[in-house]
Amino acid sequence: PQGTEKAKTFLHAFLKRSMPQVKDEAIQDMLTRKAVVLEHYAKKKTKQKRKKTKGFTARQRRELRLFEIEPEQQRYALFLPLHELWKQYLRDLCHGLKPDTQPHMIQGKLLKADLHGAIVTVTKSKCPSYVGITGIILQEFKHIFKIITKEDKLKVIPKRNNVFSLELDGFISYIYGSKFLLRASERSAKKFKLKGTLDL
């Protein structure tokens, strides 16, 4: 009998510790039954916030010279394969440049296309020294194009106040730089509106 009382006392204490939210009356009710089901309450895990990996700042990029093209790499012939890749990319983007393709459709695709590798010519400019410069676009930033000319010279051409022409398979398209002041990644999501005659 003494052992039975000890067992009951131990079991009651065990149930109280295992199920702290259950009242004593409910525990006593459980003890009067033949079978006791012990419930397990798992501790809630606190979710750890994932830290976003931060990229380089503009100053760090300048210090590391990430976007600088070395002088020995500033050769027009070196980037001709890039131009061939760009031509194929644009043909695929426009589903083949056929003679009956609508010019406004090509223009719409060009406005959102990646221009790295395209050959452009400055046709109009408020600065006369820029007019006639032709080359392959190596880098596009928000306000400038970096192009390599056939004379193996790297030119930095501002978009503002310049008009660029681009030719592919007989289609000639014009880009008004002042309306093009966007990064390449931003252009792909922007909706361009059709407008009338534009001027510098």
Side-chain angles (χ1 to χ4, degrees), residues 101-184:
T101 307
Q102 295 295 326
H104 68 270
M105 188 274 286
I106 298 171
Q107 184 72 19
K109 297 280 188 183
L110 267 174
L111 289 172
K112 296 189 176 188
D114 191 331
L115 297 178
H116 293 90
I119 293 179
V120 293
T121 303
V122 182
T123 54
K124 288 183 181 180
S125 177
K126 283 193 174 180
C127 179
S129 61
Y130 287 136
V131 177
I133 294 176
T134 303
I136 299 172
I137 295 177
L138 300 188
Q139 292 174 322
E140 180 188 356
F141 297 95
K142 186 173 182 178
H143 297 284
I144 63 167
F145 284 126
K146 280 189 180 180
I147 67 173
I148 187 82
T149 66
K150 289 183 179 179
E151 294 77 29
D152 295 338
K153 291 182 178 179
L154 187 67
K155 300 280 186 180
V156 178
I157 312 293
K159 292 179 181 179
R160 192 181 294 278
N161 299 327
N162 286 319
V163 179
F164 304 88
S165 68
L166 189 150
E167 189 270 333
L168 179 65
D169 295 347
F171 290 94
I172 300 174
S173 186
Y174 293 94
I175 296 170
Y176 286 79
S178 297
K179 305 294 180 183
F180 218 64
L181 300 177
L182 295 163
R183 294 181 180 88

Coordinates of all heavy atoms in Angstrom, one line a residue, residues 101-184:
T101 N 8.7 42.6 -91.7 CA 8.5 42.8 -90.2 C 8.3 44.3 -90.0 O 8.9 45.2 -90.6 CB 9.8 42.5 -89.5 OG1 10.2 41.1 -89.8 CG2 9.7 42.6 -88.0
Q102 N 7.3 44.6 -89.1 CA 6.9 46.0 -88.8 C 8.1 46.7 -88.1 O 8.6 46.2 -87.1 CB 5.7 46.0 -88.0 CG 4.4 45.5 -88.6 CD 4.0 46.3 -89.8 OE1 4.2 47.5 -89.8 NE2 3.5 45.7 -90.9
P103 N 8.5 47.9 -88.6 CA 9.6 48.6 -88.0 C 9.3 49.0 -86.5 O 10.3 48.9 -85.7 CB 9.7 49.9 -88.8 CG 9.1 49.5 -90.2 CD 8.0 48.6 -89.8
H104 N 8.1 49.4 -86.2 CA 7.8 49.8 -84.8 C 7.9 48.6 -83.8 O 8.2 48.8 -82.7 CB 6.4 50.4 -84.7 CG 5.3 49.4 -84.9 ND1 4.7 49.2 -86.2 CD2 4.6 48.6 -84.1 CE1 3.8 48.3 -86.1 NE2 3.7 47.9 -84.8
M105 N 7.7 47.4 -84.4 CA 7.9 46.2 -83.5 C 9.4 46.0 -83.2 O 9.7 45.7 -82.0 CB 7.4 44.9 -84.2 CG 7.3 43.7 -83.4 SD 8.8 42.7 -83.3 CE 8.8 42.0 -84.9
I106 N 10.3 46.2 -84.2 CA 11.7 46.1 -84.0 C 12.2 47.2 -83.0 O 13.0 46.9 -82.1 CB 12.5 46.1 -85.3 CG1 12.0 45.0 -86.2 CG2 14.0 46.1 -85.1 CD1 12.6 45.1 -87.6
Q107 N 11.6 48.4 -83.2 CA 12.0 49.5 -82.4 C 11.6 49.2 -80.9 O 12.4 49.5 -80.0 CB 11.3 50.8 -82.9 CG 11.7 52.0 -82.1 CD 13.1 52.5 -82.4 OE1 13.7 52.1 -83.4 NE2 13.7 53.3 -81.5
G108 N 10.4 48.7 -80.7 CA 10.0 48.3 -79.4 C 10.9 47.3 -78.7 O 11.1 47.4 -77.5
K109 N 11.3 46.3 -79.5 CA 12.2 45.3 -78.9 C 13.6 45.9 -78.6 O 14.2 45.6 -77.6 CB 12.4 44.1 -79.9 CG 11.1 43.4 -80.2 CD 10.8 42.4 -79.2 CE 9.6 41.5 -79.6 NZ 9.2 40.6 -78.5
L110 N 14.1 46.8 -79.5 CA 15.4 47.4 -79.3 C 15.4 48.2 -78.0 O 16.4 48.2 -77.3 CB 15.7 48.3 -80.5 CG 16.5 47.6 -81.6 CD1 16.7 48.6 -82.8 CD2 17.9 47.2 -81.1
L111 N 14.3 48.9 -77.7 CA 14.3 49.8 -76.6 C 14.5 49.0 -75.3 O 15.0 49.6 -74.3 CB 13.0 50.6 -76.5 CG 12.8 51.6 -77.6 CD1 11.4 52.2 -77.5 CD2 13.8 52.8 -77.4
K112 N 14.1 47.8 -75.3 CA 14.3 46.9 -74.1 C 15.4 45.9 -74.1 O 15.7 45.2 -73.2 CB 12.9 46.2 -73.8 CG 11.8 47.1 -73.5 CD 10.6 46.4 -73.0 CE 9.4 47.3 -72.7 NZ 8.3 46.6 -72.0
A113 N 16.1 45.9 -75.3 CA 17.1 44.9 -75.5 C 18.4 45.3 -74.8 O 18.7 46.4 -74.5 CB 17.3 44.7 -77.0
D114 N 19.2 44.3 -74.6 CA 20.6 44.5 -74.1 C 21.4 45.0 -75.3 O 21.5 44.3 -76.3 CB 21.1 43.2 -73.5 CG 22.4 43.5 -72.7 OD1 23.2 44.4 -73.1 OD2 22.7 42.7 -71.8
L115 N 22.1 46.1 -75.2 CA 22.9 46.7 -76.3 C 24.4 46.4 -76.2 O 25.1 46.8 -77.1 CB 22.6 48.2 -76.3 CG 21.2 48.6 -76.6 CD1 21.1 50.2 -76.6 CD2 20.7 48.1 -77.9
H116 N 24.8 45.6 -75.2 CA 26.2 45.3 -75.2 C 26.6 44.4 -76.4 O 26.1 43.3 -76.5 CB 26.5 44.5 -73.9 CG 26.4 45.4 -72.6 ND1 25.2 45.4 -72.0 CD2 27.3 46.2 -72.0 CE1 25.3 46.3 -70.9 NE2 26.6 46.7 -70.9
G117 N 27.5 44.9 -77.2 CA 27.9 44.2 -78.4 C 27.3 44.8 -79.7 O 27.7 44.5 -80.8
A118 N 26.4 45.8 -79.6 CA 25.8 46.4 -80.7 C 26.8 47.5 -81.3 O 27.5 48.1 -80.6 CB 24.5 47.1 -80.4
I119 N 26.8 47.6 -82.6 CA 27.6 48.7 -83.3 C 26.7 49.9 -83.5 O 25.6 49.8 -84.1 CB 28.1 48.2 -84.6 CG1 29.2 47.1 -84.4 CG2 28.8 49.4 -85.4 CD1 29.8 46.6 -85.7
V120 N 27.0 51.0 -82.9 CA 26.2 52.3 -83.0 C 27.1 53.4 -83.5 O 28.3 53.4 -83.5 CB 25.7 52.7 -81.6 CG1 24.7 51.7 -81.0 CG2 26.8 52.9 -80.6
T121 N 26.4 54.4 -84.1 CA 27.0 55.5 -84.7 C 26.3 56.8 -84.1 O 25.1 56.8 -84.1 CB 26.9 55.5 -86.2 OG1 27.5 54.3 -86.7 CG2 27.6 56.7 -86.8
V122 N 27.1 57.8 -83.8 CA 26.5 59.0 -83.3 C 26.1 59.8 -84.6 O 27.0 60.3 -85.3 CB 27.5 59.8 -82.4 CG1 26.8 61.1 -81.9 CG2 27.9 59.0 -81.2
T123 N 24.8 60.0 -84.8 CA 24.4 60.7 -86.0 C 24.1 62.2 -85.8 O 24.3 63.0 -86.7 CB 23.1 60.0 -86.6 OG1 22.1 60.0 -85.5 CG2 23.4 58.6 -87.1
K124 N 23.7 62.5 -84.6 CA 23.4 63.9 -84.2 C 23.9 64.2 -82.8 O 23.9 63.3 -82.0 CB 21.9 64.2 -84.3 CG 21.3 64.3 -85.7 CD 19.8 64.7 -85.6 CE 19.2 64.8 -86.9 NZ 17.7 65.2 -86.8
S125 N 24.4 65.4 -82.6 CA 24.9 65.7 -81.3 C 25.0 67.2 -81.1 O 25.2 67.9 -82.1 CB 26.3 65.1 -81.0 OG 26.8 65.5 -79.8
K126 N 24.8 67.7 -79.9 CA 25.0 69.1 -79.6 C 26.5 69.5 -79.6 O 26.9 70.6 -79.6 CB 24.3 69.5 -78.3 CG 22.8 69.7 -78.5 CD 22.2 70.3 -77.3 CE 20.7 70.6 -77.5 NZ 20.0 71.3 -76.4
C127 N 27.3 68.4 -79.4 CA 28.8 68.5 -79.5 C 29.2 68.0 -80.8 O 29.2 66.8 -81.0 CB 29.4 67.8 -78.3 SG 31.2 68.0 -78.3
P128 N 29.6 68.8 -81.8 CA 30.0 68.3 -83.1 C 31.1 67.3 -83.1 O 31.2 66.5 -84.1 CB 30.5 69.6 -83.8 CG 29.8 70.7 -83.1 CD 29.8 70.3 -81.6
S129 N 32.0 67.3 -82.1 CA 33.1 66.3 -82.1 C 32.6 64.9 -82.0 O 33.4 63.9 -82.3 CB 34.1 66.7 -81.0 OG 33.5 66.6 -79.8
Y130 N 31.4 64.7 -81.4 CA 30.9 63.3 -81.3 C 30.3 62.7 -82.6 O 30.3 61.5 -82.7 CB 29.8 63.3 -80.2 CG 30.3 63.4 -78.8 CD1 29.7 64.3 -77.9 CD2 31.4 62.7 -78.3 CE1 30.1 64.4 -76.6 CE2 31.9 62.9 -77.0 CZ 31.2 63.7 -76.2 OH 31.7 63.9 -74.9
V131 N 29.9 63.6 -83.5 CA 29.2 63.1 -84.7 C 30.1 62.3 -85.5 O 31.3 62.7 -85.8 CB 28.7 64.3 -85.5 CG1 28.0 63.8 -86.8 CG2 27.7 65.1 -84.7
G132 N 29.6 61.1 -85.9 CA 30.4 60.2 -86.8 C 31.1 59.1 -86.1 O 31.7 58.2 -86.7
I133 N 31.2 59.2 -84.7 CA 31.9 58.2 -84.0 C 31.1 56.9 -84.1 O 29.9 56.8 -83.8 CB 32.1 58.6 -82.5 CG1 33.0 59.8 -82.4 CG2 32.6 57.4 -81.7 CD1 33.2 60.3 -81.0
T134 N 31.8 55.8 -84.5 CA 31.2 54.5 -84.6 C 32.0 53.5 -83.8 O 33.2 53.5 -83.8 CB 31.1 54.1 -86.1 OG1 30.4 55.0 -86.8 CG2 30.4 52.7 -86.3
G135 N 31.3 52.5 -83.2 CA 32.0 51.5 -82.4 C 31.0 50.5 -81.8 O 29.8 50.6 -81.9
I136 N 31.6 49.5 -81.1 CA 30.9 48.5 -80.5 C 30.7 48.9 -79.0 O 31.6 49.3 -78.3 CB 31.6 47.1 -80.5 CG1 31.8 46.7 -81.9 CG2 30.9 46.1 -79.7 CD1 32.7 45.5 -82.0
I137 N 29.4 48.8 -78.6 CA 29.1 49.2 -77.2 C 29.7 48.1 -76.2 O 29.3 46.9 -76.3 CB 27.6 49.3 -76.9 CG1 27.0 50.5 -77.7 CG2 27.3 49.5 -75.4 CD1 25.5 50.6 -77.6
L138 N 30.6 48.5 -75.4 CA 31.2 47.6 -74.4 C 30.5 47.6 -73.1 O 30.3 46.6 -72.4 CB 32.7 47.9 -74.2 CG 33.6 47.8 -75.5 CD1 35.1 47.9 -75.1 CD2 33.4 46.5 -76.2
Q139 N 30.1 48.8 -72.7 CA 29.5 49.0 -71.4 C 28.4 50.1 -71.5 O 28.6 51.1 -72.2 CB 30.5 49.4 -70.3 CG 31.5 48.3 -69.9 CD 32.5 48.8 -69.0 OE1 33.0 50.0 -69.1 NE2 32.9 48.0 -68.1
E140 N 27.3 49.8 -70.9 CA 26.2 50.8 -70.8 C 25.9 51.2 -69.4 O 25.6 50.3 -68.6 CB 24.9 50.3 -71.5 CG 23.8 51.3 -71.5 CD 22.5 50.8 -71.9 OE1 22.4 49.6 -72.4 OE2 21.4 51.5 -71.8
F141 N 26.0 52.4 -69.1 CA 25.6 52.9 -67.8 C 24.4 53.8 -67.9 O 23.8 54.0 -69.0 CB 26.8 53.7 -67.1 CG 28.0 52.8 -66.9 CD1 29.0 52.8 -67.9 CD2 28.1 52.1 -65.8 CE1 30.1 52.0 -67.7 CE2 29.2 51.2 -65.6 CZ 30.2 51.2 -66.5
K142 N 23.9 54.4 -66.8 CA 22.7 55.2 -66.9 C 22.8 56.4 -67.8 O 21.9 56.7 -68.5 CB 22.4 55.7 -65.4 CG 21.0 56.4 -65.4 CD 20.6 56.7 -63.9 CE 19.3 57.3 -63.9 NZ 18.8 57.6 -62.5
H143 N 24.0 57.0 -67.8 CA 24.2 58.3 -68.5 C 25.2 58.2 -69.7 O 25.3 59.1 -70.4 CB 24.6 59.4 -67.6 CG 23.6 59.7 -66.5 ND1 22.5 60.5 -66.8 CD2 23.6 59.4 -65.2 CE1 21.8 60.6 -65.6 NE2 22.4 60.0 -64.7
I144 N 25.9 57.1 -69.8 CA 26.9 57.0 -70.8 C 26.9 55.7 -71.5 O 26.5 54.6 -71.0 CB 28.3 57.3 -70.3 CG1 28.7 56.2 -69.2 CG2 28.4 58.7 -69.7 CD1 30.2 56.2 -68.8
F145 N 27.5 55.7 -72.7 CA 27.9 54.4 -73.4 C 29.4 54.4 -73.5 O 30.1 55.5 -73.8 CB 27.4 54.4 -74.9 CG 25.9 54.1 -75.0 CD1 25.1 55.0 -75.7 CD2 25.4 52.9 -74.5 CE1 23.8 54.7 -75.9 CE2 24.0 52.7 -74.6 CZ 23.2 53.5 -75.3
K146 N 30.1 53.3 -73.3 CA 31.5 53.1 -73.5 C 31.6 52.3 -74.8 O 31.1 51.1 -74.8 CB 32.2 52.4 -72.4 CG 32.5 53.4 -71.2 CD 33.4 52.7 -70.2 CE 33.7 53.6 -69.0 NZ 34.6 52.9 -68.0
I147 N 32.2 52.8 -75.8 CA 32.3 52.1 -77.1 C 33.8 52.0 -77.5 O 34.6 52.9 -77.2 CB 31.5 52.7 -78.2 CG1 32.0 54.1 -78.6 CG2 30.0 52.8 -77.8 CD1 31.3 54.7 -79.8
I148 N 34.1 51.0 -78.3 CA 35.4 50.8 -78.8 C 35.4 51.0 -80.3 O 34.5 50.4 -81.0 CB 36.0 49.4 -78.5 CG1 37.5 49.2 -78.9 CG2 35.2 48.2 -79.0 CD1 38.4 49.8 -77.9
T149 N 36.2 51.9 -80.8 CA 36.2 52.2 -82.3 C 37.1 51.3 -83.1 O 37.9 50.5 -82.5 CB 36.6 53.7 -82.5 OG1 38.0 53.8 -82.1 CG2 35.7 54.6 -81.7
K150 N 37.0 51.4 -84.4 CA 37.9 50.6 -85.2 C 39.3 51.0 -85.1 O 40.2 50.2 -85.4 CB 37.5 50.7 -86.7 CG 36.1 50.0 -87.0 CD 35.8 50.2 -88.5 CE 34.5 49.4 -88.8 NZ 34.1 49.5 -90.2
E151 N 39.6 52.2 -84.6 CA 41.0 52.6 -84.3 C 41.5 52.1 -83.0 O 42.5 52.6 -82.5 CB 41.0 54.1 -84.4 CG 40.8 54.7 -85.8 CD 39.3 54.7 -86.1 OE1 38.4 54.8 -85.2 OE2 38.9 54.6 -87.3
D152 N 40.7 51.2 -82.3 CA 41.1 50.7 -81.0 C 41.2 51.8 -80.0 O 42.0 51.7 -79.1 CB 42.5 49.9 -81.1 CG 42.4 48.7 -82.0 OD1 41.3 48.2 -82.2 OD2 43.4 48.3 -82.5
K153 N 40.2 52.7 -80.0 CA 40.2 53.7 -79.0 C 38.9 53.6 -78.2 O 37.8 53.4 -78.8 CB 40.2 55.1 -79.7 CG 41.6 55.5 -80.3 CD 41.6 56.9 -80.8 CE 43.0 57.2 -81.4 NZ 43.0 58.6 -82.0
L154 N 39.0 53.7 -76.9 CA 37.8 53.6 -76.1 C 37.2 54.9 -75.9 O 37.9 55.9 -75.4 CB 38.2 53.0 -74.7 CG 37.0 52.6 -73.8 CD1 36.2 51.5 -74.3 CD2 37.6 52.3 -72.4
K155 N 36.0 55.1 -76.3 CA 35.3 56.4 -76.2 C 34.2 56.3 -75.2 O 33.4 55.4 -75.1 CB 34.7 56.8 -77.6 CG 35.7 56.9 -78.7 CD 36.5 58.2 -78.6 CE 37.4 58.4 -79.8 NZ 38.1 59.7 -79.7
V156 N 34.0 57.4 -74.4 CA 32.9 57.5 -73.4 C 32.0 58.6 -74.0 O 32.3 59.8 -74.1 CB 33.4 58.0 -72.1 CG1 32.3 58.1 -71.1 CG2 34.4 56.9 -71.5
I157 N 30.8 58.1 -74.5 CA 29.8 59.0 -75.1 C 28.6 59.2 -74.2 O 28.0 58.2 -73.8 CB 29.4 58.4 -76.5 CG1 30.5 58.0 -77.3 CG2 28.5 59.4 -77.2 CD1 31.4 59.1 -77.8
P158 N 28.3 60.5 -73.8 CA 27.1 60.7 -73.0 C 25.9 60.4 -73.8 O 25.8 60.7 -75.0 CB 27.2 62.1 -72.6 CG 28.1 62.8 -73.6 CD 29.0 61.7 -74.1
K159 N 24.8 59.9 -73.2 CA 23.6 59.7 -73.8 C 22.8 61.0 -74.1 O 22.2 61.2 -75.1 CB 22.7 58.7 -73.0 CG 23.2 57.3 -72.9 CD 22.2 56.5 -72.0 CE 22.7 55.1 -71.8 NZ 21.8 54.3 -71.0
R160 N 22.9 61.9 -73.1 CA 22.1 63.1 -73.2 C 22.6 64.0 -74.4 O 23.8 64.1 -74.7 CB 22.3 63.9 -71.9 CG 21.3 65.1 -71.8 CD 21.5 65.9 -70.5 NE 21.2 65.1 -69.4 CZ 19.9 64.9 -68.9 NH1 18.9 65.5 -69.5 NH2 19.7 64.1 -67.8
N161 N 21.7 64.5 -75.1 CA 22.0 65.4 -76.3 C 22.7 64.7 -77.4 O 23.3 65.4 -78.2 CB 22.8 66.7 -75.8 CG 22.0 67.5 -74.8 OD1 20.8 67.6 -74.8 ND2 22.8 68.1 -73.9
N162 N 22.5 63.4 -77.5 CA 23.1 62.7 -78.7 C 22.0 61.7 -79.2 O 21.2 61.2 -78.5 CB 24.3 61.8 -78.2 CG 25.5 62.7 -78.0 OD1 25.8 63.6 -78.7 ND2 26.2 62.4 -76.9
V163 N 22.1 61.5 -80.6 CA 21.2 60.6 -81.2 C 22.1 59.5 -81.9 O 23.1 59.8 -82.6 CB 20.4 61.3 -82.4 CG1 19.5 60.2 -83.1 CG2 19.5 62.4 -81.8
F164 N 21.8 58.3 -81.6 CA 22.6 57.1 -82.0 C 21.8 56.3 -83.1 O 20.6 56.2 -83.0 CB 22.9 56.2 -80.9 CG 23.6 56.9 -79.7 CD1 22.9 57.5 -78.7 CD2 25.0 56.9 -79.7 CE1 23.6 58.1 -77.7 CE2 25.7 57.5 -78.6 CZ 25.0 58.1 -77.6
S165 N 22.5 55.9 -84.1 CA 21.8 55.0 -85.1 C 22.4 53.6 -85.0 O 23.6 53.4 -84.6 CB 22.1 55.5 -86.5 OG 23.4 55.4 -86.9
L166 N 21.6 52.6 -85.2 CA 21.9 51.2 -85.1 C 21.4 50.5 -86.3 O 20.2 50.6 -86.6 CB 21.3 50.7 -83.8 CG 21.7 49.3 -83.2 CD1 21.6 49.4 -81.7 CD2 20.7 48.3 -83.8
E167 N 22.2 49.7 -87.0 CA 21.8 49.0 -88.2 C 22.0 47.5 -88.1 O 23.0 47.1 -87.6 CB 22.6 49.6 -89.4 CG 22.1 49.1 -90.8 CD 22.8 47.8 -91.2 OE1 23.9 47.5 -90.8 OE2 22.1 47.0 -92.0
L168 N 21.0 46.8 -88.5 CA 21.1 45.3 -88.5 C 20.2 44.7 -89.6 O 19.0 45.0 -89.6 CB 20.6 44.8 -87.1 CG 20.7 43.2 -87.0 CD1 22.1 42.7 -87.1 CD2 20.1 42.8 -85.7
D169 N 20.8 44.0 -90.5 CA 20.1 43.3 -91.6 C 19.2 44.3 -92.4 O 18.1 44.0 -92.8 CB 19.2 42.2 -91.1 CG 20.1 41.1 -90.5 OD1 21.3 41.1 -90.7 OD2 19.5 40.2 -89.8
G170 N 19.7 45.5 -92.6 CA 19.0 46.5 -93.4 C 18.1 47.4 -92.6 O 17.6 48.3 -93.2
F171 N 17.8 47.0 -91.4 CA 16.9 47.9 -90.5 C 17.8 48.9 -89.8 O 18.8 48.5 -89.1 CB 16.2 47.0 -89.5 CG 15.1 46.1 -90.1 CD1 15.3 44.8 -90.5 CD2 13.8 46.7 -90.3 CE1 14.4 44.0 -91.0 CE2 12.8 45.9 -90.9 CZ 13.1 44.6 -91.3
I172 N 17.4 50.1 -89.9 CA 18.2 51.2 -89.2 C 17.2 51.8 -88.2 O 16.1 52.2 -88.5 CB 18.6 52.3 -90.2 CG1 19.6 51.7 -91.2 CG2 19.3 53.4 -89.4 CD1 20.0 52.7 -92.3
S173 N 17.7 51.8 -87.0 CA 16.9 52.3 -85.8 C 17.7 53.5 -85.2 O 18.9 53.5 -85.2 CB 16.7 51.2 -84.8 OG 15.8 51.7 -83.8
Y174 N 16.9 54.4 -84.7 CA 17.6 55.6 -84.0 C 17.2 55.6 -82.5 O 16.1 55.3 -82.2 CB 17.1 56.9 -84.7 CG 17.6 57.0 -86.1 CD1 16.8 56.6 -87.2 CD2 18.9 57.6 -86.4 CE1 17.3 56.7 -88.5 CE2 19.3 57.7 -87.7 CZ 18.5 57.2 -88.7 OH 19.0 57.3 -90.0
I175 N 18.2 55.9 -81.7 CA 18.0 56.0 -80.3 C 18.3 57.4 -79.8 O 19.4 57.9 -80.1 CB 19.0 55.0 -79.6 CG1 18.6 53.6 -79.9 CG2 18.9 55.2 -78.1 CD1 19.7 52.6 -79.5
Y176 N 17.3 58.0 -79.2 CA 17.5 59.4 -78.7 C 18.0 59.2 -77.2 O 17.3 58.9 -76.3 CB 16.2 60.2 -78.7 CG 15.8 60.6 -80.1 CD1 15.2 59.7 -81.0 CD2 16.0 61.9 -80.5 CE1 14.9 60.1 -82.3 CE2 15.7 62.3 -81.8 CZ 15.1 61.4 -82.7 OH 14.8 61.8 -84.0
G177 N 19.3 59.6 -77.1 CA 19.9 59.3 -75.8 C 19.3 60.0 -74.6 O 19.3 59.5 -73.5
S178 N 18.7 61.2 -74.9 CA 18.1 62.0 -73.8 C 16.9 61.3 -73.2 O 16.5 61.5 -72.0 CB 17.7 63.4 -74.2 OG 18.9 64.1 -74.6
K179 N 16.2 60.4 -74.0 CA 15.1 59.6 -73.5 C 15.5 58.2 -73.1 O 14.7 57.4 -72.8 CB 14.0 59.5 -74.7 CG 13.6 60.8 -75.3 CD 12.8 61.7 -74.2 CE 12.4 63.0 -74.8 NZ 11.7 63.8 -73.8
F180 N 16.8 58.0 -73.0 CA 17.3 56.7 -72.8 C 18.2 56.6 -71.5 O 19.0 55.8 -71.4 CB 18.2 56.3 -74.0 CG 18.1 54.9 -74.4 CD1 16.9 54.3 -74.9 CD2 19.2 54.0 -74.4 CE1 16.8 53.0 -75.3 CE2 19.1 52.7 -74.8 CZ 17.9 52.2 -75.3
L181 N 17.9 57.6 -70.6 CA 18.8 57.7 -69.4 C 18.3 56.7 -68.4 O 17.8 57.0 -67.3 CB 18.7 59.1 -68.9 CG 19.2 60.2 -69.8 CD1 19.0 61.6 -69.2 CD2 20.6 60.0 -70.2
L182 N 18.6 55.4 -68.7 CA 18.3 54.3 -67.8 C 19.4 53.3 -67.9 O 20.1 53.2 -68.8 CB 16.9 53.7 -68.2 CG 15.7 54.5 -68.1 CD1 14.6 53.8 -69.0 CD2 15.2 54.6 -66.7
R183 N 19.5 52.5 -66.8 CA 20.4 51.4 -66.8 C 19.7 50.3 -67.7 O 18.5 50.2 -67.8 CB 20.7 50.9 -65.4 CG 21.4 51.8 -64.6 CD 21.7 51.3 -63.2 NE 22.4 52.2 -62.4 CZ 21.9 53.2 -61.6 NH1 20.5 53.3 -61.6 NH2 22.6 54.0 -60.9
A184 N 20.6 49.4 -68.2 CA 20.1 48.3 -69.1 C 19.0 47.5 -68.3 O 18.0 47.0 -68.9 CB 21.2 47.4 -69.5

